[in-house]
Amino acid sequence: IMDGHMGNPLGEAWSLQTARAVLRALEPYDLLFYEEPLPYTDPWGYAELRQSTSIPIAGGECLSTLEEFRQYAELGSFSVAQPDAAWSGGLSEFLKIAQLFHARKQRIATHSWGAGVAQMQNLHAGFAAPNTLILEVPPAAGPLHTELWGDSFVMRDGYVLPPEAPGLGVCLTDAIKARYPFVPGTGEFNSVPGKILTT
């Protein structure tokens, strides 16, 4: 798996020609998929790129609605769509998005970069979708992950096991709320108590 983040590390978007050249150079390495090689303003470029490489093209983690995903599905832009149940309207909308791609024999990979509740929501959605290829999990889970999901998140031998606890399998106690109060103005890409982002 490789992540282009819509261009290079300096934040400059790649052109279709640059993305095509990079992917052709990577074809001998049997990648599971290449994520976000182009900006999301170019679903047509994604479709053209997908037709010009043997590497599966993934994307969609920045898309937030069924209609946004529909355009990419209808154009054939993604081999692997990356919906996030916490951002795209919940479990039902996630499953509608997954079905858009399943009907076209395309896969999904959960995008899951929120805290514990978002993580568990995406695990449940990923296990419920018939075309899930892989589940994204945080590489360094912090307290706002682990204290919320408790024993519900189980990973064994590199595989995430289906959650068995009722509901989403999370427990938001008064003690957790007191330890990690909401800080106005913070968001997904801001450090907050229990989730410190580093580079």
Side-chain angles (χ1 to χ4, degrees):
I1 300 171
M2 294 197 71
D3 190 344
H5 267 292
M6 297 171 271
N8 67 39
L10 300 176
E12 299 166 359
W14 285 350
S15 67
L16 176 59
Q17 294 74 21
T18 299
R20 186 181 288 127
V22 168
L23 290 172
R24 284 189 179 148
L26 293 171
E27 283 179 345
Y29 300 100
D30 192 31
L31 301 180
L32 182 63
F33 59 73
Y34 195 98
E35 181 180 335
E36 297 182 320
L38 295 170
Y40 285 121
T41 54
D42 190 8
W44 307 274
Y46 269 91
E48 188 175 336
L49 180 62
R50 184 171 171 240
Q51 296 304 315
S52 68
T53 181
S54 61
I55 297 174
I57 302 299
E61 67 179 39
C62 292
L63 304 180
S64 60
T65 68
L66 175 63
E67 291 310 312
E68 288 175 324
F69 276 99
R70 186 182 311 282
Q71 180 178 27
Y72 282 84
E74 290 175 352
L75 289 170
S77 303
F78 299 144
S79 308
V80 181
Q82 296 176 284
D84 187 320
W87 294 1
S88 59
L91 297 169
S92 295
E93 290 299 293
F94 179 103
L95 292 174
K96 289 176 187 175
I97 293 165
Q99 183 56 40
L100 277 177
F101 290 90
H102 181 61
R104 292 163 174 81
K105 299 188 183 335
Q106 296 158 354
R107 309 295 297 273
I108 63 160
T110 60
H111 172 259
S112 193
W113 215 244
V117 176
Q119 181 70 48
M120 293 307 293
Q121 188 175 15
N122 278 289
L123 291 183
H124 281 274
F127 277 108
N131 54 334
T132 300
L133 173 65
I134 193 169
L135 301 167
E136 183 173 50
V137 296
L144 278 176
H145 293 98
T146 59
E147 291 184 32
L148 290 168
W149 70 44
D151 295 334
S152 295
F153 176 79
V154 178
M155 189 166 188
R156 189 173 299 133
D157 299 326
Y159 291 91
V160 176
L161 301 183
E164 295 181 359
L168 292 178
V170 296
C171 184
L172 180 59
T173 66
D174 288 338
I176 291 172
K177 287 191 272 186
R179 262 195 315 282
Y180 309 111
F182 173 71
V183 179
T186 63
E188 172 61 24
F189 297 105
N190 299 36
S191 291
V192 295
K195 187 180 83 173
I196 304 303
L197 303 179
T198 61
T199 56

